[in-house]
Structures are given as C-alpha cells and as structure tokens.
Amino acid sequence: MDHFLYNGGKLHAEDVPLSRIAEAVGTPFYCYSTATLTRHFKLFDEALQGMDHLVCYAMKANSNQAVLRTLGALGAGMDVVSGGEYARARAAGIPGDRIVFSGVGKTREEMRMALEGGIRQFNVESEPELERLSAVAASLGLSAPVAIRINPDVDARTHEKIATGRKEDKFGIPISRAHAVYARAASLPGVEAIGIDVHIGSQLTALEPFEQAYGKVADLTRQLRQDGHDIRRLDLGGGLGIPYTRGNQAPPLPSDYGALIRRTLGDLECEIEIEPGRLIAGNAGLLVSEVVYVKQGEGSDFLIIDAAMNDLIRPAMYGAHHDIVPLVEPEPGAPTKPYDIVGPVCESGDTFAKGRELPLLAEGDLLALRSAGAYGAVMASEYNSRPLIPEVLVNGDQFAVIRKRPSYEEMIERDTIPHWL
Ligand SMILES: *Cc1c(COP(=O)(O)O)cnc(C)c1O
C-alpha cells in the first residue's frame, strides 16, 4: 500500500496534487511519500516485535538525507556499503551503534573511518578482509565487532544481476569454510566475531529461499556455539520484493517474513538484524515526467517523455517493469492505445515500456512511473549531460525539494581545466 492515489481526478502524493509540484519544480522529478516510508519501516519493526531486533535500512536503495532522517527518527539503523554511505548516515544523525557496514571491497580508509566514528558491526565478506580489518583495528587499539557473511548456496530465484547467495556469486564465504574462518577470527587481535550475516539477493517474491538460508544459519549458529564461539547476533540481510505491477499476485508481507524468522531462528536467543531497502523505499516514490512528443511509429506510437534511462535505469539494466499512469485520472471506459514509452537519450535501450496500454495522451501531459523510490535516484547519472533531476519529499499537505536540480553551470563547473588548455 502507498499514498499515491487519485483524488478529485488528480494523482496526489498524500494530500498534495503532483501537478502542483510539477509546476513548482519542473519535470522530471522524483517524489517520495513520508507516510509510505514510515508505514513500510513500521511493518518490519512490528514484524519482529517481541524479539531483540534492529531494522537496518539498506540505504543504497535511497540515500537522500531527508529520507535517512525520516527513517532515523523512527529508530532505524542503517546498512552501509561504502565510506560515502557511512558519512551520509552520520550526517543524517544516525549514531554509529546503529550502523552495520556491508560490502565485499571495504578499504583500509573505510574501515578506519567507521572504527573511529563508531560502528555497530562489520559484515565481513572474505578471509583477506578479516585479516585486514583486524590489522586496522589493532593499529587503532580497538577490536572490531564482526559478523561473517556466509554464502548459503541458495538460489533466490530473482533477476540474475541481483542474486547474491549462490556459490558462484562474489558474496560471503562458503559455509564449508565457516568453522575455519571463525577459528581464525578468534585468534586475531583486532576482531571479535559476535554474529553471522547472510543476504541472498533482492526482489525475492517467495519465502522459501529465505527459509532455506535461515535454516542453514540456525544450524551454523549451533555448530559455532559448540566450537566455543559466542554467537549472539544474526544479520539476515534484506531482499523482500515489492509488487511492481498492480493487481498481480503480491510478494509475501513483512509480517509473514517476520513469522518465518521467528519460526526458523526464534529459539536461538540472538539479537536479530534485518536490512530491507527496496520494500521500504520502492513504493514510497515515483518519477513524474512530461510528454515531449507523440511520434507515430510503424507499430505502436512513441511517447517521448522528458525522463530517460539516466534518471531511472532499472528498465534498461534489468528489463524491469514500472507501472506508468497519467497524472489526470482517466474517465472510466476512456479509449486506450498501446504506446512505446521512451526517453530522449541516444540509445535504443532508453525505453521504459513497449506496447503499454494508456489513455490517449498528448504533448504536455504528465505521467508518473510508479515504484521508483528505490534504486532510482541513487543509480542516476548525467549521461547525455542531463543534470540529475530533483527529489521532492511530501509530508501530509506539505512538500519540500530535498535535492535541487543543478543548473548547467553547476554541472559544468565540476570539471577542471588543466593548465595547458
Ligand atoms: C542491497 C542489499 C540489501 C537490500 O536489499 P533490498 O532488496 O533492497 O531489500 C541488504 N543487504 C545487503 C548486504 C545488500 O547488498
């Protein structure tokens, strides 16, 4: 459920007509709903009620400062994957003891930054990383709290590019190495292995892969405890999928996911962390764009809109589907026709949808691409020298620009000219 609904014939974000925001900031722009972000965070938090837990929002999904502050005020922790994300989380007021650090390629500088600034735990992804983290922490006279990410060899049955838990994927250590790696950790001066981490992929639409992975985590917890390791925290990753298409069968709810966690891991008396990203932010945002031209095609007509693949790359990168709706509510029974919806970028990959049935549209009409709050703005680029588009946050009847559109001058000024030119 989200808070983008038609009211009086106009698509609203909460109590604000999106057309009013379009007038104020120009198109294209991203728009996020505070009520939806809040609702989604609370669904996870409530799903784990009664268990010692922390919901660490995977901020790579949407790392705008205003989004982080909204979630931080609700008690969210953050899952960060770079020094930049760590800095963003701290700048948004998230305390270090609510930040977990994931990622396969942490550098010495990133480790030092998090150790000095405060960190809840590092999710360590390899043996060389464990050695390096110990050396960096020991050199600072510290001991780094660590969960080791295990690769459970489970197929998340999701898109190839976002499956992370199969043995051929680059993430985590093979479960067969776990005993040796935890033993090594115990012998190192600068790390303390306190937990186990797992994350098997993104946009999962069934619970079975989670169940398989968490079952392996439960077994491993018992075995490592027998080996003498004090495993007291389990980080279960993110990955629960969202409905990108209205009306189709929806993925499992956070409450079902919480029940699964309770059933598979509840008796271990561990502190539970989860790292949802997409489900918190995805359906809390949309991308508003204007029709620039309607161009006759050989098959469908083209709607050439002012948003492009550089603003939202998911269709080009993953073949992803986004529902597309007009900002003016179509009359019931109004005629429709199939359109190919494309952006202005000079690549055929710059296509948002093919043969999409929409009411008849004309130049200047406004559209919304739904489910664009996660992996949207954060993956944007300035390809074709199209400045990054603004982001807007709505809260009830108020809205605010939370990242402004840079001018062409600001975009160009980031380049510097060498002395010989
Ligand atoms: C991307 C990622 C997440 C979030 O995944 P979602 O599908 O957005 O919930 C969580 N943990 C790790 C380690 C990730 O890489």
Side-chain angles (χ1 to χ4, degrees):
M1 210 206 85
D2 61 45
H3 291 78
F4 300 109
L5 298 169
Y6 288 110
N7 185 351
K10 292 176 169 179
L11 189 63
H12 282 59
E14 303 188 21
D15 301 328
V16 184
L18 285 160
S19 53
R20 196 199 301 162
I21 303 176
E23 252 167 59
V25 307
T27 57
F29 65 91
Y30 278 104
C31 179
Y32 312 129
S33 152
T34 301
T36 314
L37 288 167
T38 302
R39 178 186 141 77
H40 290 164
F41 173 79
K42 286 189 172 168
L43 285 176
F44 279 111
D45 205 30
E46 283 159 15
L48 297 179
Q49 227 170 32
M51 303 181 85
D52 189 6
H53 73 275
L54 183 67
V55 179
C56 294
Y57 168 62
M59 62 179 274
K60 74 177 192 281
N62 184 326
S63 55
N64 187 287
Q65 288 289 291
V67 170
L68 301 188
R69 275 179 190 273
T70 300
L71 295 170
L74 300 168
M78 297 286 151
D79 171 41
V80 309
V81 294
S82 70
E85 285 197 348
Y86 180 84
R88 274 186 175 277
R90 294 309 308 266
I94 311 297
D97 64 8
R98 279 200 258 149
I99 301 176
V100 300
F101 203 144
S102 301
V104 297
K106 300 175 198 79
T107 63
R108 284 186 189 84
E109 291 66 36
E110 288 174 324
M111 291 170 175
R112 207 172 292 128
M113 176 182 188
L115 284 164
E116 287 176 338
I119 189 80
R120 179 181 179 82
Q121 114 218 351
F122 289 89
N123 291 335
V124 168
E125 301 237 10
S126 66
E127 295 168 66
E129 181 191 338
L130 185 68
E131 301 286 333
R132 183 179 292 183
L133 178 59
S134 175
V136 172
S139 76
L140 297 170
L142 297 170
S143 175
V146 159
I148 292 171
R149 179 167 176 179
I150 53 132
N151 183 323
D153 193 21
V154 165
D155 186 351
R157 285 180 267 139
T158 183
H159 190 281
E160 169 70 20
K161 289 182 185 164
I162 49 176
T164 58
R166 302 162 302 181
K167 63 178 182 311
E168 63 272 29
D169 297 323
K170 71 180 174 185
F171 301 95
I173 59 157
I175 229 169
S176 56
R177 295 277 311 145
H179 292 275
V181 176
Y182 277 85
R184 178 67 186 149
S187 76
L188 289 170
V191 292
E192 189 195 0
I194 58 162
I196 303 174
D197 171 46
V198 70
H199 170 72
I200 57 174
S202 195
Q203 187 53 19
L204 272 72
T205 52
L207 289 179
E208 291 84 69
F210 288 118
E211 182 149 17
Q212 281 177 41
Y214 297 170
K216 292 188 181 191
V217 169
D219 291 344
L220 183 63
T221 304
R222 292 191 186 92
Q223 291 164 20
L224 291 174
R225 282 177 171 171
Q226 270 173 12
D227 291 354
H229 303 292
D230 181 16
I231 303 297
R232 50 193 186 270
R233 192 181 279 169
L234 302 176
D235 183 333
L236 304 176
L240 196 57
I242 64 170
Y244 277 98
T245 313
R246 254 113 241 280
N248 276 21
Q249 210 191 350
L253 299 170
S255 54
D256 301 333
Y257 176 69
L260 167 71
I261 291 173
R262 217 175 287 272
R263 190 169 75 244
T264 49
L265 300 159
D267 61 340
L268 293 169
E269 310 262 311
C270 282
E271 191 179 358
I272 300 292
E273 292 163 352
I274 54 171
E275 302 170 345
R278 190 187 304 271
L279 202 148
I280 289 179
N283 277 326
L286 36 74
L287 171 55
V288 176
S289 181
E290 183 177 311
V291 176
V292 184
Y293 294 111
V294 183
K295 172 176 165 174
Q296 253 191 340
E298 289 284 322
S300 310
D301 285 354
F302 293 102
L303 283 183
I304 301 173
I305 65 175
D306 62 2
M309 63 188 288
N310 68 297
D311 305 312
L312 176 66
I313 204 168
R314 299 190 64 261
M317 187 140 140
Y318 311 115
H321 171 100
H322 286 266
D323 276 356
I324 300 175
V325 295
L327 258 51
V328 175
E329 186 173 21
E331 298 287 335
T336 65
K337 64 183 286 190
Y339 289 107
D340 287 358
I341 301 165
V342 302
V345 161
C346 309
E347 295 204 22
S348 294
D350 187 19
T351 297
F352 290 114
K354 284 202 154 152
R356 187 72 63 86
E357 284 292 333
L358 283 176
L360 306 184
L361 289 162
E363 286 179 24
D365 286 345
L366 297 174
L367 296 172
L369 285 83
R370 303 190 56 116
S371 312
Y375 306 107
V378 287
M379 293 179 93
S381 76
E382 289 183 339
Y383 186 40
N384 278 211
S385 288
R386 295 167 44 85
L388 291 180
I389 66 176
E391 296 173 80
V392 173
L393 182 64
V394 170
N395 184 15
D397 60 1
Q398 327 174 58
F399 72 89
V401 174
I402 57 173
R403 180 183 290 177
K404 77 178 188 65
R405 190 191 310 277
S407 66
Y408 291 137
E409 290 70 32
E410 287 165 330
M411 182 173 69
I412 294 165
E413 274 171 2
R414 292 204 308 264
D415 300 358
T416 51
I417 311 293
H419 70 85
W420 61 86
L421 286 176

